[in-house]
Amino acid sequence: MLSLMGMLLFSIPLCLMFGGWWMVQNLLYLMSFMFVFLCVIGGEVSYLSYFFGCDVISYGLIMLSFWICALMLMASESINRFGVNQELFLSLVMMLMIMLYCTFSSLSLFSFYVFFEGSLIPTLLLILGWGYQPERLQAGVYLLFYTLLASLPLLIGLFYLYNNEGTLFIFLMFNDVSNLYLYLCLIVAFLVKMPMFLVHLWLPKAHVEAPVSGSMILAGVLLKLGGYGLLRVYKYLSLSGLKFNMVWISISLIGGVLVSLICLRQVDMKSLIAYSSVAHMGIVLSGLMTLSYWGFCSSYTLMIAHGLCSSGLFCLANISYERLGSRSLLINKGLMNFMPSMALWWFLLASSNMAAPPSLNLLGEIGLLNCIVSWTWLTMVMLMLLSFFSAAYTLYLYSLSQHGQIYSGLYSCSMGYFREYLLLFLHWVPLNLLIVKSEMFMLWM
């Protein structure tokens, strides 16, 4: 693990070089392929080094982080060409990648907490430095206070655990805790980061104000930190979970339906995609809270799938924004006339978003429906509504943006750049090819 860490650290000086953009981007792709060959099989921890290591759960999420960070640079070409402070932007992306790498490979809950919170700082600076509107300051405050205030009880809970157990090493803690206050302390930070309905207000604000790279990393990886934390922490909270998890499952499923209805009334493309993330993560959270093997595996699968799919949709919204100067669905009409070659990518990623075959989303959602309904059949009503409205708002986004008369009345036709097609291809292909090797998502718990 430390070899790749060294490579990441030594690539930061490259960010400050003239023309370092392409070199850093290519290095991130190289590191992605190097990481693919560090194969992890079985339930044991591999590649141990100091307080870092990698098991099956970490492996997929570190791979996703490398991939999304490389695609972020590909999507932010306008910053490379016309933006200011490209060197600072590159350095922040690399710092964020290091934080994510350390978070997912931490073997101690305390080091996990430190890097979990540390990943907030580069994200905040990306939003404040390269966001679109003055409201980005308010979005930054929302992001900071929601996540920091919820994380302080987690720190206290970890101190309490250390006092009782004598260690915070993830694989050496076996005692099951049945204490309500400790249970709340350990999971609230992750519920906000997911985000669960009722504590989700920071997410649409942060997405709408963030540059495309900020939206991609937020949707692609940072929302998965909450799910990863819950997968780790529920090892010691299963007794409390059996008593109290029904509360979170109820909130998530009812909230998912309400958020889906909110999606149907959105006119901002980015806002619609951000709210759809809340609905999808609601299903992930419900599956995880059932504490079943199916629930853990399917939540993990949908987290990876959603990371790729949602990131691709934000790229598409940004491609339209760069041409038309607006994200409003009232202005982004008739894109099939304006950018006919991009309509196919809209269709492919929108269909993946509503879990059409052969996407990985389908595998994740089928597994989650299975485990949530087997937990209690009363959830079936909410799951039916959620699935229906998920398809409804995705079709609403696709049909309203692609069809209709073009707003400006122009008959011009714009082709995308090769870079943009490659960017969308690199989102869509892993999303649909990974289902061929779906047994790798069956975790060894």
Side-chain angles (χ1 to χ4, degrees):
M1 299 306 285
L2 285 179
S3 55
L4 278 168
M5 173 73 70
M7 200 167 173
L8 280 168
L9 283 168
F10 283 110
S11 61
I12 290 180
L14 290 178
C15 303
L16 308 174
M17 284 171 51
F18 177 74
W21 185 279
W22 298 109
M23 199 177 290
V24 171
Q25 189 177 317
N26 290 333
L27 267 176
L28 276 169
Y29 282 120
L30 175 65
M31 282 185 258
S32 305
F33 287 113
M34 284 170 67
F35 194 75
V36 167
F37 295 114
L38 293 180
C39 194
V40 176
I41 299 171
E44 69 280 351
V45 190
S46 312
Y47 309 108
L48 285 167
S49 52
Y50 297 105
F51 53 91
F52 293 122
C54 184
D55 69 346
V56 181
I57 304 173
S58 311
Y59 180 79
L61 290 165
I62 295 173
M63 186 66 235
L64 182 69
S65 305
F66 272 121
W67 198 244
I68 296 288
C69 281
L71 293 173
M72 273 167 72
L73 295 182
M74 194 185 263
S76 305
E77 187 59 29
S78 55
I79 292 175
N80 181 27
R81 288 191 186 174
F82 317 113
V84 288
N85 295 331
Q86 296 99 319
E87 294 84 3
L88 180 59
F89 178 83
L90 268 180
S91 306
L92 281 174
V93 171
M94 292 311 291
M95 285 303 299
L96 184 54
M97 182 61 234
I98 290 167
M99 288 292 179
L100 290 169
Y101 184 77
C102 293
T103 306
F104 290 129
S105 56
S106 285
L107 297 180
S108 157
L109 282 175
F110 185 71
S111 66
F112 168 73
Y113 172 82
V114 170
F115 295 121
F116 174 77
E117 287 307 304
S119 63
L120 190 68
I121 299 160
T123 315
L124 182 67
L125 293 174
L126 278 176
I127 292 172
L128 294 181
W130 288 270
Y132 296 123
Q133 293 144 329
E135 286 85 359
R136 62 180 183 260
L137 294 170
Q138 187 193 11
V141 169
Y142 264 70
L143 173 68
L144 199 63
F145 277 90
Y146 260 95
T147 47
L148 273 184
L149 286 175
S151 296
L152 287 173
L154 174 61
L155 186 62
I156 296 161
L158 291 180
F159 287 157
Y160 178 84
L161 265 182
Y162 184 72
N163 191 38
N164 281 13
E165 302 278 328
T167 180
L168 284 178
F169 186 79
I170 290 170
F171 298 96
L172 287 181
M173 295 171 68
F174 302 109
N175 293 342
D176 214 324
V177 185
S178 57
N179 179 336
L180 173 62
Y181 297 113
L182 183 62
Y183 171 77
L184 287 174
C185 282
L186 289 178
I187 69 163
V188 165
F190 302 129
L191 295 180
V192 171
K193 202 80 166 182
M194 287 279 295
M196 187 184 73
F197 183 70
L198 297 182
V199 284
H200 69 285
L201 289 176
W202 64 271
L203 184 75
K205 280 192 177 295
H207 269 310
V208 168
E209 302 307 328
V212 61
S213 52
S215 290
M216 284 170 72
I217 199 71
L218 260 174
V221 186
L222 293 181
L223 298 191
K224 314 302 172 274
L225 285 170
Y228 176 77
L230 289 173
L231 279 170
R232 290 291 188 215
V233 160
Y234 264 120
K235 193 176 174 186
Y236 335 113
L237 297 175
S238 47
L239 282 178
S240 306
L242 291 171
K243 290 182 198 168
F244 307 117
N245 276 359
M246 54 179 275
V247 178
W248 312 118
I249 294 178
S250 310
I251 293 171
S252 296
L253 290 178
I254 295 167
V257 175
L258 294 175
V259 164
S260 300
L261 291 171
I262 292 171
C263 282
L264 287 169
R265 297 294 296 157
Q266 293 300 313
V267 288
D268 185 326
M269 293 162 101
K270 261 191 150 180
S271 187
L272 196 156
I273 301 164
Y275 274 112
S276 80
S277 294
V278 178
H280 282 114
M281 296 317 279
I283 311 179
V284 168
L285 185 60
S286 306
L288 228 160
M289 291 283 184
T290 59
L291 300 183
S292 62
Y293 177 71
W294 265 91
F296 280 5
C297 294
S298 307
S299 299
Y300 177 71
T301 309
L302 193 56
M303 281 198 289
I304 304 266
H306 174 264
L308 290 164
C309 181
S310 203
S311 173
L313 283 169
F314 278 116
C315 288
L316 278 167
N318 184 65
I319 288 167
S320 303
Y321 176 72
E322 285 178 351
R323 274 24 175 228
L324 298 167
S326 170
R327 292 189 309 265
S328 169
L329 281 166
L330 303 173
I331 290 173
N332 283 276
K333 277 183 180 176
L335 288 181
M336 199 178 274
N337 296 329
F338 182 61
M339 298 184 76
S341 49
M342 211 48 90
L344 171 68
W345 292 107
W346 271 103
F347 171 74
L348 290 173
L349 284 162
S351 63
S352 295
N353 195 46
M354 60 184 187
S359 66
L360 199 56
N361 299 59
L362 178 74
L363 178 71
E365 288 204 15
I366 287 175
L368 286 169
L369 291 175
N370 182 5
C371 75
I372 298 169
V373 171
S374 61
W375 183 72
T376 169
W377 61 268
L378 292 170
T379 54
M380 204 179 283
V381 179
M382 284 301 157
L383 287 169
M384 284 191 313
L385 289 171
L386 236 166
S387 299
F388 173 74
F389 286 123
S390 171
Y393 64 68
T394 309
L395 284 171
Y396 163 73
L397 170 67
Y398 177 75
S399 60
L400 209 64
S401 61
Q402 300 307 303
H403 298 290
Q405 193 171 7
I406 197 158
Y407 179 79
S408 60
L410 295 173
Y411 287 97
S412 60
C413 180
S414 169
M415 287 293 288
Y417 297 116
F418 176 74
R419 169 185 62 83
E420 291 168 342
Y421 295 123
L422 183 61
L423 173 66
L424 296 167
F425 178 80
L426 292 176
H427 275 109
W428 183 80
V429 165
L431 181 62
N432 287 269
L433 276 187
L434 282 173
I435 198 165
V436 178
K437 196 74 179 153
S438 51
E439 66 268 22
M440 63 190 212
F441 296 102
M442 296 297 117
L443 311 175
W444 284 266
M445 304 309 284

